Amino acid sequence: MDAQVTEVADFLAAHAPFRELPRPLLSALVSSASIRYARRGTRILSVGESSRVMFVLRSGAVDITDSEGVLVERSDVGTSFGMSTLVERAPSRYDFTAIEDSLLLVVPEPSFRDLCQSDPGFESFYTSAHAARLRRAVGQLHLADRGGAVLRTTLGDLLRRPPVAAAPTTSIREAAQVMAREHVSAILVLEDGHLVGVVTDRDLRSRVLAAGRDPAEPLATVMTPDPETARSDALAFEALMAMVDRNIHHLPVLDVAGQVLGLVSSTDLMRLEHNNPVYLVADIAGAQDVGVLAELASRIPVIVEQLVAEDASARDIGRVVTSLGDAIERRLLTLAETELGPPPVAYCWVVLGSQARHEQGLASDQDNAMVLSDEVTSEQDHYFAQLAERVSSGLEACGYPRCPGEVMATNPRWRVSVSTWRSHFARWLETPEPEAVLNGSIFFDMRPLRGDHRLVEELRSQVLAATGQADLFLAYLARHAVSRRPPLGFFRGLVLEKEGEHRDSLDLKSGGVAAIVELARVHALLHGLPEVGSQARIAAATHAGSLSPGLGAELADALEFVSYLRLRHQGRQVRMGQEPDNFVDPGQLTDFERRHLRDAFRIVRSAQQALGQRLPLDSLS
């Protein structure tokens, strides 16, 4: 018998996670286990069946299929299966069938649980299977029947040739000859490998020919210095929106290190598919009044429904909806400035919340503010009050309701100078009362939309530098994030709303999307990270070590999965002529979706518990 135990232990020691176990624990496990023989075609465990054991495949092969008969995985020798019934204390989600004559090592539940308690690494190996399943579920949700790749096209994807460039000392004539020879409409001006300017064929017409300049002059005299640029991983449709807004037609593309990779033109971008939402942006940019903008805004839900039908990811849909909302808001600001005249002092219009994070859905209200120059006077504020009211009224006409909490630039409290904003943040960080924590959760998600961006960038850098030292504020912010309990019952059932108009429905926002958003915010602020988007915050926090790689990946997948179901639900509501919300009828979800929602909510709960253990939340009054 001892020889058999040794033989089986040696076999397990060659496979994860058993190879990491101390030999005494491994031998004890083998001693408690039994051997089972399964002939080819034997159903070992069925969907809906409970089991009090875990299987390890000693020899042969086992197919794992879902309730629809779709092959999920084929177990190889040394792999474990059936343990999800033990981890989740729930019936099996899969069928397990021997496709060859197989030998199985059968591990009883008490032995499995004893090992989980004795060895954290052993436990995490099996609980991480939830994350793997959720990642597969995200992939299955996004199997598209037709296109949609255009939404994922980056500027780097559009580059077809190395940059055509010249030095600042190159003559205008020589540069024009290079442009003609290379058949390009613009040339980049590089000095010591760094971008210093760009010259377009339009510049040659207006700044050289029309101005009667000498073609022998250096290129530096007619170039546009320090041109707008974009990174190669930027989405093409967002770049086009920015180009339309800034009235530019050529955009240098840089890599992550700031080196020039090439140049794209508006013509390159307009060659994208015509069913792309970028074509709405051109109409928005040309709208002459609020009525036209409102009509254009009414097309956004239709675009969302189309994107859902194309199985675009929740992240892509959120960026599209946000970019269209940004375009409308910028146009309203332009129309208001045209009517009121130029602003008396520098200012920056900022967006907050889901819009700042590029995560807008179809149920978003207005969240904005203004950062004004410290030179502003009370008389000049009257101009900005009028500007804010025109924009807010326009947004309301376009389907964006006013914020019930008045977190808008129309509220004088959120239309103040840089120094006043600095005082606001300092007070919130120093005296984290409930209102301060709420304001912190709102205003730390701030993104400049129009005006002098430097006002906001300087403010953000100063605030982030101070945040890392505000331990008490971060603890209160973390407690607020942990208080958003995912709708998951004691026995892993989904908890539905018990009363009100959404009774018996599932809230996908509060304990799902919003809970992950708040967790991501806390982890980012703990390290003073500048990222605003939730997925970007999760990635940055993982890189900084605030989240483990496993938990970071799980949270990212959970956010994508729940957000996608939420957007798909809103798309259905639009199609049925209903107002979009965040409450889904669980009867509309498939068994597949309900199972993986439970996985997602379990991940949220685990992340909340991990954060609660890290910060002294129990000591807070």
Side-chain angles (χ1 to χ4, degrees):
M1 179 63 71
D2 289 342
Q4 185 178 7
V5 169
T6 300
E7 179 189 358
V8 176
D10 288 343
F11 164 76
L12 290 179
H15 303 281
F18 307 102
R19 66 166 64 100
E20 307 298 333
L21 289 176
R23 193 70 183 194
L25 288 180
L26 186 59
S27 298
L29 173 67
V30 174
S31 297
S32 69
S34 60
I35 298 292
R36 174 177 167 186
Y37 172 68
R39 290 181 60 86
R40 178 180 180 181
T42 300
R43 178 67 59 81
I44 300 166
L45 186 64
S46 300
V47 171
E49 183 180 353
S50 295
S51 175
R52 305 299 298 273
V53 299
M54 178 184 75
F55 300 96
V56 183
L57 187 60
R58 178 75 189 273
S59 65
V62 172
D63 271 0
I64 304 173
T65 54
D66 65 16
S67 58
E68 305 298 325
V70 176
L71 181 65
V72 174
E73 191 175 327
R74 176 161 293 169
S75 287
D76 298 321
V77 170
T79 59
S80 311
F81 61 88
M83 63 282 180
S84 62
T85 60
L86 303 182
V87 173
E88 301 175 16
R89 299 180 186 271
S92 175
R93 301 175 179 182
Y94 306 101
D95 289 328
F96 300 85
T97 306
I99 60 171
E100 298 176 5
D101 290 352
S102 302
L103 275 180
L104 308 171
L105 183 69
V106 184
V107 179
E109 181 178 15
S111 298
F112 175 82
R113 298 207 179 281
D114 287 346
L115 260 181
C116 287
Q117 286 188 338
S118 303
D119 194 286
F122 183 86
E123 180 183 28
S124 65
F125 179 87
Y126 289 110
T127 55
S128 66
H130 291 280
R133 283 198 306 273
L134 185 59
R135 191 163 293 114
R136 287 196 297 270
V138 169
Q140 290 181 44
L141 277 180
H142 297 318
L143 290 177
D145 295 327
R146 56 193 177 96
V150 67
L151 298 175
R152 301 177 181 88
T153 300
T154 65
L155 292 180
D157 294 330
L158 298 179
L159 296 177
R160 295 291 181 266
R161 61 184 300 167
V164 178
T169 54
T170 302
S171 71
I172 297 172
R173 177 182 290 106
E174 290 176 303
Q177 291 170 344
V178 171
M179 291 169 62
R181 184 173 65 250
E182 298 292 334
H183 303 288
V184 295
S185 58
I187 190 168
L188 299 172
V189 185
L190 303 183
E191 187 171 30
D192 297 329
H194 298 289
L195 179 69
V196 295
V198 64
V199 175
T200 68
D201 51 5
R202 185 169 60 175
D203 293 332
L204 295 179
R205 292 193 302 271
S206 61
R207 298 180 182 178
V208 180
L209 293 177
R213 300 187 81 112
D214 185 352
E217 291 184 33
L219 206 54
T221 61
V222 294
M223 71 180 185
T224 298
D226 301 320
E228 295 279 349
T229 62
R231 277 182 28 167
S232 59
D233 56 357
L235 295 179
F237 79 86
E238 290 184 334
L240 179 57
M241 292 176 181
M243 292 168 73
V244 170
D245 180 60
R246 294 171 174 79
N247 193 30
I248 57 178
H249 301 278
H250 297 83
L251 192 64
V253 180
L254 313 179
D255 64 15
V256 293
Q259 296 299 304
V260 179
L261 295 178
L263 185 79
V264 296
S265 68
S266 55
T267 301
D268 296 326
L269 297 173
M270 294 300 284
R271 290 194 185 106
L272 297 171
E273 298 175 38
H274 281 269
N275 63 349
N276 192 299
V278 295
Y279 287 90
L280 181 56
V281 177
D283 294 335
I284 291 173
Q288 295 301 311
D289 56 55
V290 173
V292 173
L293 279 175
E295 189 280 326
L296 295 172
S298 69
R299 291 160 53 184
I300 296 178
V302 178
I303 288 177
V304 170
E305 186 181 3
Q306 172 188 322
L307 297 179
V308 170
E310 292 177 347
D311 277 324
S313 71
R315 191 175 188 179
D316 285 342
I317 297 173
R319 294 186 76 87
V320 169
V321 174
T322 302
S323 295
L324 293 172
D326 284 355
I328 290 171
E329 204 153 338
R330 285 194 189 100
R331 187 57 183 164
L332 287 169
L333 283 160
T334 300
L335 293 174
E337 287 184 12
T338 300
E339 183 179 351
L340 295 173
V345 295
Y347 84 101
C348 188
W349 182 278
V350 298
V351 291
L352 311 165
S354 61
Q355 186 175 359
R357 299 190 302 270
H358 285 102
E359 297 166 9
Q360 267 191 314
L362 293 179
S364 299
D365 56 17
Q366 298 180 38
D367 286 303
N368 50 59
M370 269 197 219
V371 180
L372 309 177
S373 166
D374 281 334
E375 300 172 357
V376 67
T377 65
S378 56
E379 292 78 11
Q380 291 169 332
D381 180 64
H382 179 66
Y383 169 94
F384 294 110
Q386 290 181 296
L387 181 72
E389 180 55 40
R390 280 168 170 75
V391 173
S392 186
S393 297
L395 288 172
E396 196 170 17
C398 291
Y400 300 91
R402 295 182 185 239
C403 174
E406 294 190 65
V407 181
M408 299 179 295
T410 51
N411 185 340
R413 187 180 181 187
W414 311 128
R415 188 183 67 247
V416 292
S417 66
V418 175
S419 58
T420 303
W421 275 112
R422 196 177 296 115
S423 298
H424 281 338
F425 278 104
R427 185 172 66 256
W428 298 335
L429 294 176
E430 293 167 4
T431 56
E433 300 170 348
E435 183 182 4
V437 173
L438 177 61
N439 289 334
S441 66
I442 294 172
F443 291 98
F444 273 107
D445 294 359
M446 176 185 286
R447 176 168 60 87
L449 186 70
R450 180 181 169 86
D452 189 344
H453 290 201
R454 292 172 299 179
L455 296 173
V456 176
E457 291 163 358
E458 293 171 4
L459 174 67
R460 277 183 56 80
S461 63
Q462 293 167 353
V463 170
L464 286 174
T467 304
Q469 310 301 318
D471 294 342
L472 188 59
F473 172 80
L474 290 173
Y476 273 100
L477 199 64
R479 187 173 72 172
H480 183 68
V482 169
S483 69
R484 284 191 179 271
R485 305 303 292 173
L488 195 63
F490 184 76
F491 295 105
R492 291 183 53 78
L494 295 174
V495 176
L496 307 182
E497 296 295 298
K498 293 182 172 55
E499 56 188 8
E501 62 175 314
H502 300 298
R503 181 179 178 179
D504 295 330
S505 63
L506 182 65
D507 184 358
L508 295 178
K509 181 179 179 181
S510 181
V513 173
I516 301 173
V517 165
E518 295 198 7
L519 285 167
R521 181 186 299 118
V522 172
H523 280 284
L525 294 180
L526 279 169
H527 293 267
L529 302 172
E531 284 77 9
V532 176
S534 297
Q535 291 284 12
R537 278 174 166 166
I538 291 171
T542 301
H543 182 73
S546 190
L547 288 167
S548 68
L551 185 54
E554 289 179 0
L555 271 181
D557 286 335
L559 178 59
E560 171 62 30
F561 190 84
V562 181
S563 297
Y564 181 85
L565 291 181
R566 176 189 177 210
L567 283 165
R568 191 186 63 184
H569 163 67
Q570 292 179 344
R572 286 173 176 168
Q573 290 181 304
V574 168
R575 186 169 64 251
M576 297 170 62
Q578 302 171 351
E579 286 293 319
D581 59 34
N582 303 298
F583 298 89
V584 65
D585 178 357
Q588 294 181 342
L589 301 174
T590 65
D591 288 342
F592 170 89
E593 291 161 353
R594 285 194 291 270
R595 289 197 305 267
H596 291 295
L597 264 179
R598 287 194 289 267
D599 278 341
F601 292 145
R602 182 200 62 80
I603 287 168
V604 174
R605 180 175 291 177
S606 297
Q608 290 175 329
Q609 291 170 344
L611 183 60
Q613 293 169 359
R614 177 176 177 180
L615 296 173
L617 306 187
D618 293 338
S619 64
L620 300 179
S621 59

